[in-house]
Amino acid sequence: MTTVPVRLYVNGERHDIHVEPRRTLADALREDCRLTGTHLGCEHGVCGACTVLVDGQPVRACLMFAVQAEGTSVRTVEGLAPDDTTLHPVQQAFWENHGLQCGFCTPGFLMLITGLLEETPDASEDEIRDVLSSNLCRCTGYQNITKSALCAQRAMRFDELSEPTADAEVTE
Ligand code: FES
Ligand code: FES
């Protein structure tokens, strides 16, 4: 088996791994870096459960080879919370707005929303809804995920968490 060296910076930590060229970034994160928070659903780019941030951009880790991520900075769900007792604003918003049920899709949504709100803090509700439509959830019906994203947006912009305002309410 031919392997090649790959250096990843995951959540600020350097990982020097050796992988087959065909190994996906998702498998490298889960099996070589031992970071199993990145979930695998469809493994062919449809569900978004495997979404991570690569140099700040949301990426489906099942569609990217680990060798393509050589030298990049990768953020996974394990790197979201600033410490063991504080949630990231997006995590906090999901908790407060019941943005998850079984939780399988949640790491992907958390990373997708974090990437969006860091890149586009003033994203409109329509833009947020459009981005959220790229990931699949079989449990929630998306209403509470959307509420969570809007709440997180407010928290990240104003450094506070509160219920979405009336104009940010999600229509059923
Ligand atoms: S596991 Fe990557 S998109 Fe579904
Ligand atoms: S919470 Fe179960 S798939 Fe989304």
Side-chain angles (χ1 to χ4, degrees):
M1 180 176 70
T2 302
T3 63
V4 294
V6 174
R7 177 170 298 172
L8 303 175
Y9 297 88
V10 186
N11 303 326
E13 190 174 317
R14 178 173 145 184
H15 290 260
D16 290 298
I17 59 178
H18 286 76
V19 297
E20 286 185 84
R22 66 177 180 172
R23 195 154 185 81
T24 66
L25 176 59
D27 284 340
L29 290 170
R30 289 177 55 85
E31 296 179 28
D32 299 294
C33 301
R34 302 290 179 190
L35 294 168
T36 55
T38 299
H39 289 173
L40 281 167
C42 65
E43 298 192 64
H44 62 273
V46 174
C47 73
C50 62
T51 304
V52 299
L53 302 182
V54 176
D55 288 339
Q57 297 299 312
V59 163
R60 297 193 191 283
C62 72
L63 291 186
M64 186 175 196
F65 292 119
V67 293
Q68 293 176 292
E70 161 68 25
T72 61
S73 175
V74 181
R75 283 172 73 196
T76 70
V77 70
E78 289 92 342
L80 270 187
D83 57 55
D84 287 345
T85 59
T86 311
L87 294 175
H88 183 278
V90 179
Q91 293 172 310
Q92 182 78 21
F94 265 66
W95 182 43
E96 293 188 354
N97 293 279
H98 309 290
L100 64 147
Q101 289 184 25
C102 79
F104 190 84
C105 69
T106 308
F109 273 104
L110 292 174
M111 301 316 295
L112 182 71
I113 294 166
T114 298
L116 169 66
L117 295 180
E118 288 181 351
E119 177 90 3
T120 315
D122 295 323
S124 69
E125 182 173 336
D126 282 347
E127 289 171 324
I128 289 172
R129 285 177 175 277
D130 188 47
V131 169
L132 291 180
S133 72
S134 69
N135 281 25
L136 299 182
C137 174
R138 293 191 295 182
C139 303
T140 64
Y142 295 89
Q143 300 299 331
N144 287 349
I145 292 176
T146 307
K147 282 183 186 173
S148 301
L150 292 167
C151 186
Q153 182 183 43
R154 294 182 56 199
M156 290 171 72
R157 290 175 65 193
F158 302 113
D159 197 31
E160 63 177 15
L161 280 172
S162 58
E163 291 297 314
T165 55
D167 63 349
E169 283 291 347
V170 176
T171 52
E172 298 291 337

